Amino acid sequence: MTSGTTEAISIPDEIDRLVRLDGGRLLSCLIINLRDFQLAEDSLQDALESAVMHWSRDGLPGSPSAWLMRTARRKAIDRIRKAASFRSKSAELAALIVLDNAASQDDETEAIADERLKLIFTCCHPALDQKTSVALTLRAIGGLKTEEIARAFVVSPDSMAQRLVRARHKIAKAGIPYEVPGPDGWSQRLDAVLAVIYLIFNEGYAASSQQHLRTELCVEAIRLGRVLTALCPREPEVEGLLALMLLHQSRCATRLDGLGAIVSLEDQDRGRWDRGLIAEGTTLLERALRRGRPGPYQLQAAIVAVHAEGASFAETDWHEVALIYQTLVAMRPNPVFELNHIVALSYAQGPGVALDRLATIAAALGAYQPYHAVRADILARLGQVEPARRAYQEAIRLSGNDAERLFLTQRLGALVGARQTPA
Amino acid sequence: MKYMALIYRAQDSSPAYGTPEFGPFMAAYQAANERFAKDGVLVAGEALEASSTATTVRVRNGRTETLDGPFAESKEQLGGYYIFECDNLDDAIRYAAMIPTAAYGAVEVRPVQDLTRS
């Protein structure tokens, strides 16, 4: 009796765990089989409900994922049958044949990997807006729940659900093809796919500590990056993006202090950076650069790699960092890259040079928190305490999350402390 | 499936009759039309008279009300359309991008509803 109760309690937990580990693969396989996002989701939901009932009674099957997959397919066939009077006979038949074929080749992982690439390209079609693409990719490939995606975007679950419904509707009705584009459409699409994966990563990386989900977004983005590098070998920007994410992720454990405040690059404990991730990222980046087609992701990865090589903040090769930023700004003019270039210059050539350069992007970045934080830091290093204090206050006002606010408040406190100490 | 490509442009944005650019612009339209026909995607297509010639009609309580002008007052107005028969949105977008006015205004691509499909 006791064990029965324990089991009844653990089955939903077990299902939760399964969905977390394998939900993305299950859902994307179903979407691939059915060519219908909504039907795939509904059928998987049916299968999960059925699992709660059966597993509580009979115990866990030998391969829970395979059980869910089989059951979801059967549920899909049921749903198609029920809806058959509203559909043409041929569409029903075609779907059933696809399902039958799919059921007989459950473990053809390579074919599935290839199909998952098509699914990523479908989710990231340029006819969808980028925010929708991110959400759809997280849902279809990552298997994240609508509520989790809504939390990541800081919107209500209802509005996220509506956004996803609209996207699925558009894919079906507008005839967004379910394929990897041909050579002429490849580069534009790949850009969108890379941008979406990096947005997913940043959504997790730039977040505060209290949101556990967001670390998972980084892990998910890296996993997608790995899928993509396996599926499109010899694409240097794909390797560059994965290298960039791995190198960023290597600092993960040192980015927040005990209070949940952001720890600046200067103050991070480099002994705790993940050397394994750094080695993997660096190797990948070198392979990409050898292909002789540099791009923005490779250059950004190269900058993080230079930081990873530096024994300390002071010993960083700032001239190299500044040079790479200069190349990056020339390739992709962008005030945020320019801001980072100025930070590197402030260490390579001095804060005075940097302060002059900051004025040139003031108009573009006046409402951007990091601009004011950088300006405050540069002013403080020049000994201009009062302007620095005002810049920190402006940065705090513009800050979007607690971790940043705590960090900036600490810096402001240190500044005021410095003024009170006779030099 | 069928797609309608709706061509929008501001009144004086594309080359006007009598300018040196007008000839090549018209030639580009002719080349595009030939390409659409050759690829077998062209179902229909026409240019419209200026939106100043438009009349908007509504029937309310059985009474026909007419209004001088287009349905929506905006800078960019519907100037013509094509209907393409294409496999998917990517193909439709590719053909829409060949419409010369796309370089001056905008082309909205919409699937035509197919009532024989669910």
Side-chain angles (χ1 to χ4, degrees), chain A residues 82 160 202 243 251 259 275 284 330 345 364 367 387:
Chain A
K82 272 185 204 149
M160 184 48 74
N202 275 322
R251 303 179 191 161
L259 296 170
R275 291 289 141 190
L284 201 60
L345 281 178

Side-chain angles (χ1 to χ4, degrees), chain A residues 110-132:
Chain A
E110 259 180 47
I112 293 289
D114 214 34
E115 293 288 298
R116 282 169 66 107
L117 182 64
K118 290 182 189 168
L119 191 55
I120 295 179
F121 273 91
T122 307
C123 292
C124 300
H125 195 278
L128 299 169
D129 78 53
Q130 205 167 48
K131 199 171 169 186
T132 301

Side-chain angles (χ1 to χ4, degrees), chain A residues 130-390:
Chain A
Q130 205 167 48
K131 199 171 169 186
T132 301
S133 290
V134 174
L136 207 57
T137 308
L138 283 172
R139 185 85 188 88
I141 308 284
L144 264 68
K145 292 178 190 153
T146 304
E147 301 81 62
E148 293 174 317
I149 303 168
R151 217 182 310 148
F153 280 110
V154 203
V155 299
S156 75
D158 278 353
S159 65
M160 184 48 74
Q162 276 168 18
R163 180 182 280 271
L164 289 168
V165 166
R166 272 199 307 274
R168 289 187 207 107
H169 185 256
K170 178 157 184 189
I171 288 173
K173 289 291 177 189
I176 287 182
Y178 182 87
E179 63 188 25
V180 175
D184 51 334
W186 173 259
S187 66
Q188 187 204 357
R189 296 302 157 80
L190 189 61
D191 278 356
V193 170
L194 294 178
V196 163
I197 293 177
Y198 195 39
L199 272 173
I200 292 171
F201 183 83
N202 275 322
E203 198 67 39
Y205 195 72
S208 58
S209 62
Q210 58 261 45
Q211 272 147 324
H212 162 70
L213 162 76
R214 299 195 164 188
T215 329
E216 287 190 6
L217 290 183
C218 292
V219 173
E220 184 55 34
I222 288 174
R223 205 181 59 75
L224 291 175
R226 287 189 201 281
V227 171
L228 204 60
T229 41
L231 295 170
C232 344
R234 293 181 293 282
E235 280 291 339
E237 276 294 87
V238 175
E239 294 165 329
L241 172 64
L242 180 56
L244 174 61
M245 295 191 295
L246 291 169
L247 288 163
H248 270 312
Q249 189 69 359
S250 74
R251 303 179 191 161
C252 182
T254 65
R255 292 185 63 245
L256 295 173
D257 68 12
L259 296 170
I262 288 193
V263 180
S264 73
L265 187 56
E266 185 169 3
D267 297 327
Q268 286 176 16
D269 175 2
R270 294 184 180 220
R272 288 169 59 219
W273 283 1
D274 187 325
R275 291 289 141 190
L277 289 179
I278 290 174
E280 190 189 353
T282 310
T283 308
L284 201 60
L285 174 63
E286 282 164 359
R287 195 195 306 161
L289 290 172
R290 273 199 302 274
R291 302 190 195 282
R293 283 179 284 149
Y297 292 112
Q298 293 168 76
L299 291 175
Q300 290 176 82
I303 290 161
V304 190
V306 173
H307 284 298
E309 276 169 16
S312 68
F313 189 74
E315 288 166 88
T316 303
D317 188 344
W318 288 107
H319 288 281
E320 179 74 13
V321 173
L323 198 67
I324 305 173
Y325 268 121
Q326 194 183 330
T327 315
L328 187 57
V329 171
M331 187 182 280
R332 281 283 159 92
N334 168 333
V336 174
F337 289 156
E338 179 60 26
L339 179 65
N340 290 324
H341 181 209
I342 291 170
V343 172
L345 281 178
S346 80
Y347 293 105
Q349 297 179 15
V353 176
L355 191 64
D356 292 343
R357 291 286 289 261
L358 267 183
T360 64
I361 52 169
L365 294 181
Y368 184 61
Q369 179 269 116
Y371 168 81
H372 295 279
V374 164
R375 191 161 166 273
D377 180 60
I378 288 172
L379 285 165
R381 282 156 60 201
L382 287 165
Q384 301 186 28
V385 175
E386 188 47 33
R389 196 180 63 80
R390 283 198 303 272

Side-chain angles (χ1 to χ4, degrees), chain A residues 86-87 125 127 173-177 179 184 189, chain B residues 1 3 87-90 93-94 111 116-118:
Chain A
F86 303 104
R87 290 164 182 264
H125 195 278
K173 289 291 177 189
I176 287 182
E179 63 188 25
D184 51 334
R189 296 302 157 80
Chain B
M1 33 193 307
Y3 291 88
D87 283 345
N88 58 46
L89 182 63
D90 281 355
I93 289 172
R94 212 174 49 245
T116 64
R117 295 195 333 164
S118 67

